[in-house]
Amino acid sequence: MKSVPRSRVASLMRLTQGACTCPAHMGGVISRHLPSCKSGSGKSMASQIQNEYAFEMASSNIRYGEGVTRQVSIITTFILKYHTLCPLGEVGMDARNMKAKKVIVYTDSNIAKLHPMKTVIQSLEDNNVPYTVYDKVRAEPSDKSFKDAIEFTRKNGCDLFIAVGGGSSIDTAKAANLYYNHPEADFLDFVNAPIGKGMPIEKTLTPLIAIPTTAGTGSETTGATIFDFKDLKVKTGIANRALKPILGIVDPLNIRTAPLQVQIASGLDVLFHSIESYTAIPYNMRGPAPKNPLERPAYQGSNPISDVWSTRALKMTIDSLPQIKIDPGNTKAQSQMILAATYAGIGFGNAGVHLCHGMSYPISGLNKSYIHPQYNTDHPIVPHGISVAITAPSVFKFTSSMDPVRHLEVAKAFGVDISNVKLSDAGEVLSDAIKKFLINLGLPDGISAFGYTHSDIPALVEGTLPQHRVTKLSPVQAGAEDLSRIFEGSMKLY
């Protein structure tokens, strides 16, 4: 597999900073804050291109309920009390119903020892379904860990993928599935542009069942997979509807053992999936309509259906996550959070996210030494939800000018009385509300807590600029200077 030349990416980033920002040249985004360029005839080039006029909704089938990983019976409660397993789990029956003969179960070394994974394995065995386990998933996957999973899949063969774990396990299974079905492909063929080629996926992939064990990524609903690109020290990913699982089994019992810090970090991912998708550029302002419906991106901008899912998930998270901070074993709040993660996944999986996520990728990717509490890893890690949340107070100050009403509606969801707030103050009000929420959850004190200094800001900006898949969905386009100011404002949270 070929690696992308550093010179190519550096060149693309320089072009990004200086390129024209009209719809014809900026990767399909229109911003009311940016002028359109003129063609030789003097007419706006935007007027010669048909704007996007439609959006599509896509999501996995979802099965939700306590004990839904296995068959529920009258004796379930009794059996759980004594830490044994119910016979004939549902996931095993699903595999049997699909006539699966070669199942690979993807998980990490920690989840492999815990109740959710044991339940899945027992279910497969009780239903006489042959399986192989890949338990080397890396927390916050990298291109190298993806390639290892891909190679394992190619050697073993597979007619059904099952992922058990957080977003890392589900995303790894998605990548393994994609390249297993495209043995001729170079790794960069499907990776988002400009880092990769961003090629469309035209084949139907092998069925994937996703079983989340954290209430966070919503990856069980989406067609996105994210990873660290080690050579470039940035995060990127692949986004296409073809990647979405055929079924997400959402079982609140599977998140009961997650440590507090994992629950908080995962919950913050839900929070900003919701806020970013709701405040993203509207779908009909994103840019030109595609020549072929296959080219319509998975992340399309805010739209009326995504709004419903995102706002509901936002309210559930604001209510439930502080309860978990007080009592990590609050089962009612946990159940609400894993449901909120699925809601938010449907919302952002079709609308997209923007600057908080785009800026989070270099924060995670450039981290040299910070290991977040309660994360049992052998490598430095800023959990995804933490890296997303840490810039949010500064981000929403910046984006509020495009749609202050929506930003105030988000502030209201946090409990702010907005009845007498001026629209011009929307960014400041929402920023303060988010900051208060994060401080109450005990977040680290800004990106300086991860070891970053002011001298690191140029590298963080450089790592953000290629993240077009998400940054171009910001309601206000952010150039290098804007990103520098946002990172500067995120050095300290308190």
Side-chain angles (χ1 to χ4, degrees):
M1 296 183 184
K2 300 176 182 177
S3 61
V4 63
R6 290 175 180 268
S7 58
R8 174 175 173 248
V9 176
S11 175
L12 284 167
M13 290 190 293
R14 285 194 292 272
L15 287 170
T16 300
Q17 295 179 60
C20 169
T21 51
C22 76
H25 298 148
M26 67 182 292
V29 177
I30 303 173
S31 172
R32 289 181 291 200
H33 289 250
L34 296 172
S36 297
C37 73
K38 300 288 183 178
S39 66
S41 64
K43 294 181 180 180
S44 167
M45 296 186 80
S47 68
Q48 300 177 24
I49 300 171
Q50 183 179 17
N51 281 356
E52 180 62 276
Y53 57 90
F55 64 91
E56 294 185 24
M57 293 300 296
S59 177
S60 309
N61 293 321
I62 297 296
R63 183 184 300 150
Y64 172 88
E66 289 196 4
V68 75
T69 310
R70 60 173 166 259
Q71 184 182 33
V72 180
S73 69
I74 293 175
I75 59 172
T76 297
T77 303
F78 176 82
I79 291 174
L80 280 175
K81 182 177 179 181
Y82 291 97
H83 305 286
T84 58
L85 300 167
C86 283
L88 296 179
E90 285 201 11
V91 65
M93 286 188 280
D94 288 320
R96 189 177 63 189
N97 291 341
M98 294 179 190
K99 297 179 171 46
K101 301 298 182 186
K102 286 186 177 182
V103 176
I104 300 182
V105 185
Y106 298 78
T107 193
D108 63 50
S109 58
N110 292 319
I111 296 295
K113 305 169 188 173
L114 299 178
H115 162 75
M117 182 64 175
K118 292 177 180 178
T119 301
V120 170
I121 295 303
Q122 187 68 50
S123 178
L124 292 172
E125 291 179 349
D126 288 343
N127 284 276
N128 299 313
V129 177
Y131 68 90
T132 303
V133 174
Y134 179 83
D135 62 0
K136 296 180 181 179
V137 167
R138 184 182 190 271
E140 305 294 337
S142 68
D143 56 315
K144 294 177 182 178
S145 72
F146 271 9
K147 289 173 184 177
D148 185 74
I150 293 164
E151 185 63 24
F152 180 91
T153 307
R154 287 174 174 169
K155 284 182 178 179
N156 287 276
C158 185
D159 61 6
L160 174 63
F161 291 75
I162 297 177
V164 184
S168 297
S169 293
I170 300 172
D171 285 4
T172 298
K174 288 177 182 177
N177 191 359
L178 173 61
Y179 290 98
Y180 174 65
N181 283 279
H182 290 83
E184 77 293 344
D186 180 79
F187 183 73
L188 289 174
D189 283 352
F190 301 108
V191 174
N192 298 319
I195 292 172
K197 296 178 182 178
M199 290 172 53
I201 300 171
E202 299 180 358
K203 290 183 181 178
T204 300
L205 303 186
T206 303
L208 164 63
I209 296 176
I211 305 174
T213 60
T214 61
T217 66
S219 190
E220 69 276 7
T221 71
T222 73
T225 179
I226 307 299
F227 64 93
D228 283 323
F229 201 114
K230 285 300 182 183
D231 289 344
L232 299 179
K233 297 181 180 178
V234 296
K235 273 200 174 187
T236 184
I238 304 167
N240 191 287
R241 293 181 188 86
L243 289 174
K244 64 184 176 63
I246 192 172
L247 174 64
I249 297 180
V250 182
D251 186 345
L253 295 180
N254 287 337
I255 63 171
R256 296 291 191 251
T257 57
L260 173 60
Q261 290 299 325
V262 173
Q263 293 189 63
I264 288 175
S266 300
L268 288 171
D269 200 18
V270 180
L271 184 70
F272 292 102
H273 283 162
S274 304
I275 300 176
E276 290 174 73
S277 58
Y278 187 63
T279 58
I281 193 167
Y283 75 94
N284 57 358
M285 291 181 62
R286 188 191 72 249
K291 295 177 181 178
N292 185 321
L294 187 66
E295 298 172 4
R296 183 167 281 117
Y299 286 5
Q300 303 161 91
S302 60
N303 60 78
I305 300 179
S306 285
D307 287 352
V308 174
W309 294 99
S310 297
T311 53
R312 179 60 179 158
L314 172 63
K315 293 172 183 175
M316 293 167 71
T317 304
I318 290 172
D319 179 60
S320 299
L321 198 53
Q323 295 182 50
I324 289 173
K325 174 63 166 62
I326 295 168
D327 176 12
N330 185 325
T331 57
K332 182 177 180 181
Q334 287 177 329
S335 296
Q336 285 293 289
M337 279 306 307
I338 197 169
L339 191 56
T342 300
Y343 284 9
I346 298 171
F348 94 87
N350 292 282
V353 287
H354 54 84
L355 291 182
C356 292
H357 272 73
M359 298 176 77
S360 79
Y361 298 149
I363 290 173
S364 295
L366 295 175
N367 172 37
K368 294 184 176 75
S369 59
Y370 178 83
I371 299 178
H372 198 67
Q374 296 185 329
Y375 274 75
N376 183 21
T377 68
D378 58 0
H379 58 274
I381 183 170
V382 180
H384 177 61
I386 301 295
S387 65
V388 166
I390 210 75
T391 62
S394 291
V395 163
F396 291 105
K397 272 187 193 177
F398 173 75
T399 60
S400 64
S401 59
M402 176 60 114
D403 196 340
V405 172
R406 284 208 169 204
H407 285 68
L408 285 178
E409 288 171 353
V410 175
K412 184 178 180 181
F414 279 100
V416 177
D417 180 0
I418 64 170
S419 55
N420 295 314
V421 177
K422 296 178 181 178
L423 292 181
S424 58
D425 294 331
E428 195 73 41
V429 169
L430 178 53
S431 176
D432 288 345
I434 292 173
K435 188 178 294 186
K436 180 179 178 181
F437 189 82
L438 298 181
I439 290 171
N440 287 340
L441 291 175
L443 243 66
D445 189 11
I447 62 174
S448 61
F450 310 141
Y452 292 115
T453 67
H454 299 285
S455 64
D456 294 311
I457 289 178
L460 291 167
V461 170
E462 185 174 306
T464 304
L465 286 170
Q467 308 297 339
H468 294 180
R469 177 182 61 94
V470 291
T471 58
K472 293 300 184 184
L473 291 170
S474 172
V476 181
Q477 290 303 292
E481 291 185 6
D482 300 311
L483 294 172
S484 293
R485 284 192 292 269
I486 295 171
F487 277 121
E488 188 76 36
S490 303
M491 275 290 170
K492 289 283 187 180
L493 184 63
Y494 301 160

